[in-house]
Amino acid sequence: MTDDAPSATAKHHSADRDLTMQSVTIARPADELYAYFRDFSNLPGFMDNVERIDVIDEHRSHWVVKAPAGKTVEWDARVTHEEPGRSITWEAEPGADVVNSGRVTFTDAGARGAIVSATIAYDPPAGVVGKVIAKLFQREPAIQARRDLRRFKQLMETGEIATSSRTQAQLQEERA
């Protein structure tokens, strides 16, 4: 029996694909969070490894993402399903440097705001070795999803993302 759901939300996903699921509660209405997230040009503002997203049209975008050892990976993504105010499902188009798909849901949590959940399925480049290297360089999708959702929460609740008091560039400048 086949499952025609998007690969990230299918009941049975391929054993060779890694799957990560992360959630956070944000003190804002679900439809407001959805609207901000759905404008993909906003995502590099809180997704640490995303260098840029070029919106091609209403359903397609081009992603450039930092990878280990100062490299980048790129892919075109296509929105495969969406429920305005509730969910966005996507899939990388053929030829992606990192084959991936996923779904972000925005669930009303009453007076607490909304629960934002991200489910991401991906094929690590170079398999297990690539996954280990990505973890060492803090570029592994499960690590990044957790951190990115926390930054999204900070941005949506306070209007800014907390950072250390000095940036790496400032520290290097002081040492010089």
Side-chain angles (χ1 to χ4, degrees):
M1 181 172 170
T2 63
D3 188 343
D4 63 353
S7 55
T9 58
K11 292 176 186 165
H12 309 285
H13 73 280
S14 172
D16 60 345
R17 295 192 84 190
D18 280 6
L19 185 68
T20 184
M21 294 175 268
Q22 302 289 328
S23 294
V24 67
T25 301
I26 302 176
R28 302 294 279 203
D31 59 343
E32 186 179 316
L33 298 172
Y34 169 88
Y36 189 88
F37 200 98
R38 181 57 176 93
D39 180 354
F40 297 138
S41 65
N42 288 329
L43 303 185
F46 65 87
M47 291 183 163
D48 191 42
N49 285 336
V50 177
E51 286 192 0
R52 76 174 200 274
I53 299 172
D54 302 321
V55 176
I56 299 168
D57 60 37
E58 185 178 339
H59 298 287
R60 293 176 53 241
S61 54
H62 180 78
W63 292 59
V64 179
V65 176
K66 295 175 193 170
K71 300 192 183 301
T72 60
V73 292
E74 300 186 31
W75 64 84
D76 289 340
R78 177 176 39 87
V79 173
T80 58
H81 181 76
E82 65 184 304
E83 294 177 55
R86 300 193 58 193
S87 70
I88 304 166
T89 305
W90 79 90
E91 182 172 76
E93 294 189 333
D97 287 345
V98 177
V99 176
N100 67 89
S101 61
R103 183 175 189 198
V104 178
T105 60
F106 306 83
T107 307
D108 181 44
R112 297 180 334 162
I115 300 168
V116 179
S117 298
T119 303
I120 303 166
Y122 63 99
D123 291 340
V128 173
V129 172
K131 184 175 179 178
V132 169
I133 292 169
K135 278 187 177 184
L136 288 173
F137 284 92
Q138 300 291 301
R139 302 278 191 233
E140 203 264 334
I143 295 168
Q144 282 310 121
R146 183 175 59 250
R147 290 178 178 169
D148 290 345
L149 282 176
R150 279 194 213 135
R151 281 191 293 277
F152 185 47
K153 175 182 176 71
Q154 288 177 10
L155 180 63
M156 298 311 294
E157 290 181 349
T158 69
E160 62 186 10
I161 298 171
T163 60
S164 63
S165 60
R166 294 181 298 200
T167 65
Q168 285 287 34
Q170 290 169 324
L171 290 171
Q172 289 174 352
E173 187 176 292
E174 288 176 10
R175 290 180 188 141

